[in-house]
Amino acid sequence: EIVLTQSPATLSLSPGDTATLSCRASQNVNTYLAWYQQKPGQAPSLLIYAASNTATGIPTRFIGSGSGTDFTLTISSLEPEDFAVYYCQQRSNWLYTFGQGTKLEIK
Amino acid sequence: QVQLQESGPGLVKPSETLSLTCSVSGGSTTTYYWNWIRQTPGKSLEWLAHIYSSGYTNYNPSLRGRAAISVDTSKTQFSLKLNSVTAADTAVYYCASGYGFFDFWGQGTLVTVSS
């Protein structure tokens, strides 16, 4: 099973800042990596798929990058609604795993 | 846009079978992959199983053969059964669509395993 390690666990920033979230895979996942945002009491929602493709309706301030084992989600000019928990997820053959999440909180 | 809605009992006794159904609207279960994912309190997300309309299935090995996923294309629904449940199966269960990544999700349903 491929393990995804997200860092940091918590990121404290202010609106207008740029957030950089990391996801590291224990094995090569090529670009089979997605990012999700989850707000309290809600289901996760897809932000990025195939490492760098933005899902429909997602603002351009969300940018995904990386391949192989190291991936980054960059959120520029943070808006108040961006403060949430972010998860990465990979597909290895037919087995999917998620990272443990990064909580983006208001400083 | 596809919309999904989970339904099922919120409380299941230990050793019994958990049964959940996901109703799909705005899309057809005759194509695409349909998934179950759960989130335990305070923890991350765990993919459980998926099914294609042809009946092709895959399961997370962590379930140790306790799960069965099925699809009813005539009713645009798919279901999950998880037997021999324990307190460790207490979680919010989500249904979701997609292969490789999950583009549409249900709102989730909390299932508590307790006597």
Side-chain angles (χ1 to χ4, degrees):
Chain A
E1 174 181 311
I2 294 178
V3 176
L4 297 177
T5 302
Q6 292 187 242
S7 61
T10 303
L11 186 56
S12 300
L13 293 171
S14 300
D17 288 346
T18 295
T20 303
L21 287 67
S22 174
C23 177
R24 176 163 291 178
S26 60
Q27 299 175 41
N28 183 3
V29 299
N30 295 300
T31 56
Y32 297 131
L33 191 107
W35 290 93
Y36 301 84
Q37 177 192 71
Q38 186 177 33
K39 296 180 179 179
Q42 297 183 18
S45 60
L46 179 68
L47 296 173
I48 303 288
Y49 64 94
S52 60
N53 293 275
T54 308
T56 302
I58 301 303
T60 55
R61 63 179 182 274
F62 290 88
I63 298 174
S65 62
S67 66
T69 60
D70 289 300
F71 300 86
T72 301
L73 174 67
T74 303
I75 313 169
S76 57
S77 301
L78 284 167
E79 299 283 346
E81 62 267 26
D82 298 337
F83 292 90
V85 179
Y86 292 84
Y87 294 96
C88 57
Q89 169 255 314
Q90 67 82 32
R91 167 179 76 86
S92 171
N93 295 317
W94 47 260
L95 181 58
Y96 305 90
T97 56
F98 291 85
Q100 80 280 17
T102 289
K103 181 179 181 180
L104 178 57
E105 65 177 23
I106 298 178
K107 188 175 182 179
Chain B
Q1 172 157 319
V2 174
Q3 292 186 312
L4 301 99
Q5 177 68 58
E6 305 88 350
S7 60
L11 181 64
V12 181
K13 289 182 168 56
S15 79
E16 294 190 345
T17 297
L18 179 162
S19 296
L20 296 171
T21 296
C22 182
S23 299
V24 180
S25 59
S28 171
T29 51
T30 59
T31 59
Y32 219 32
Y33 279 83
W34 306 96
N35 302 266
W36 285 99
I37 297 163
R38 70 183 178 185
Q39 186 168 33
T40 51
K43 288 194 172 183
S44 187
L45 297 146
E46 179 182 28
W47 174 81
L48 302 177
H50 70 196
I51 187 166
Y52 190 67
S53 55
S54 63
Y56 176 77
T57 61
N58 276 307
Y59 297 91
N60 192 320
S62 69
L63 298 176
R64 302 186 305 277
R66 297 189 295 129
I69 189 172
S70 60
V71 63
D72 184 338
T73 55
S74 65
K75 294 183 179 179
T76 61
Q77 292 179 337
F78 63 104
S79 300
L80 176 73
K81 292 187 187 298
L82 184 64
N83 61 39
S84 304
V85 297
T86 69
D89 295 309
T90 294
V92 175
Y93 286 76
Y94 296 101
C95 56
S97 61
Y99 180 79
F101 54 88
F102 310 110
D103 45 8
F104 296 105
W105 296 64
Q107 65 184 27
T109 186
L110 174 63
V111 178
T112 301
V113 178
S114 175
S115 54

